Amino acid sequence: MRIVRLDDVQSLPLWRRPVSLLFLMAMAMPVAFATWSALLNNFVIEVAGFDGGDIGWLHTVREIPGFFAIGVIALIMFIREQVLGLVALIMLGVATALTAQFPSMGGILTITMLSSIGFHYYETVNQSLQLQWIEKTRAPQTLGWLLSAGSGATIVVYVLIVLSWEALGLTYSIVYWLSGGFTAVVALVCLLAYPQFEAPHPQLKTFVLRRRYWLYYALQFMSGARRQIFVVFAGFMMVERFGYKVDEITQLFLFTLVINMIAAPLLGKLVAVFGERRALIIEYAGLCLVFFAYGGIYYFGWGVVLATMLYVVNHLFFSLALAIKTYFQKIADPQDIAPTAAVAFTINHIAAVFLPALLGYVWLTSPGMVFVLASIMAIISLLLSMLIPRHPAPGHETVFQGRLLAAAE
């Protein structure tokens, strides 16, 4: 196993450098995950007869591995982060390929748990590697381009589903096998073809929970809680309330991803120019209005056109969440990145473990109230984002430290 220090990567061909590997992984993961997401609501409703309560439980099970992402800290004592991330990506691909082979409540929950372990452990390591391998000055734009690359791969998947689902008479089984198998093969190639990259700052392999990161933890917690409501119920609403078919919901996802692919690098530039504070204030203020409007679909009978527009705008605002990553990169000790990524991922999923199941029952009686609760969460996130200083740095993590420094001078 060849080990290459980041200082020496310029001697490698462009395709074998760390950022190239990040782009490959960014494009491979969505092929499995986006396919799983695009077909999921139709699959569980048509094949397994799921209702709102059932879909809530499915997503609760899906988020349990995210809650235990802190286990990455133990694993990287024995496995290099890069290897762990790629093995987890292979696991995601294999589990996705098997999804349609278990069309019962128990089977779907089991295979969902396995694919979720792969997804969440991959994402935890991937976030850590991004912050270690990308220079701080280039991070916002590079992260934007990585988001764009993932969107591009997802677009290809959605176009293929839209064009071939009816025309070729595809089945859930065939599509899941192809997409999951592709992701697993690409991850295996990456595991074998790339050297192991050595970051200049060895990562701590112990549990790290620092008081000065409290605002980052709070933003992560609220992000996970709020995002779960959208991920679980927005797409489910389009199928349950408006009767979207597989190719129609995929067209919605496709249009959303095209917009995101164009916008993500621009949003990364926006974060770089205006700073994390302003970017997150814009995101959370916008999400508050979006979720209130979602509730209006049920309380005032607003139609499918508005619901479709809200879905697209919601995704655009979510793209600004990369500002949370760059905020942490600016305030963190370099050796804290890997263990804190695991801790943050766990914090992000605390609410995700119980909210889907709990709100699934709320959904059965008052779907609009689910989105009103999401709006309240967006308001809390907005208030937290106002505590980020214009130029965050170690010792200057919140506006409170800025005031203390000014008073001391």
Side-chain angles (χ1 to χ4, degrees), residues 15 17-34 80-90 92-93 118-119 121-131 133-134 145-151 153-154 182-192 194-197:
W15 70 271
R17 295 179 187 176
V19 173
S20 300
L21 176 56
L22 290 175
F23 271 96
L24 267 179
M25 294 192 297
M27 290 185 287
M29 186 278 288
V31 174
F33 185 70
R80 296 181 65 88
E81 276 190 272
Q82 184 176 330
V83 173
L84 175 59
L86 290 169
V87 169
L89 191 56
I90 292 171
L92 168 63
F119 172 79
Y121 276 56
Y122 161 76
E123 275 296 312
T124 302
V125 172
N126 185 48
Q127 289 188 27
S128 171
L129 294 179
Q130 287 176 354
L131 297 183
W133 291 355
I134 301 172
W145 282 111
L146 287 170
L147 283 173
S148 188
S151 297
T154 307
F182 176 85
T183 296
V185 169
V186 171
L188 181 61
V189 170
C190 289
L191 186 62
L192 300 175
Y194 280 84
Q196 296 297 306
F197 299 112

Side-chain angles (χ1 to χ4, degrees), residues 67-108:
F67 180 73
F68 289 106
I70 198 169
V72 166
I73 298 173
L75 290 175
I76 62 175
M77 293 180 184
F78 311 101
I79 307 173
R80 296 181 65 88
E81 276 190 272
Q82 184 176 330
V83 173
L84 175 59
L86 290 169
V87 169
L89 191 56
I90 292 171
M91 184 175 181
L92 168 63
V94 171
T96 300
L98 295 172
T99 296
Q101 309 309 306
F102 303 93
S104 65
M105 180 70 165
I108 291 172

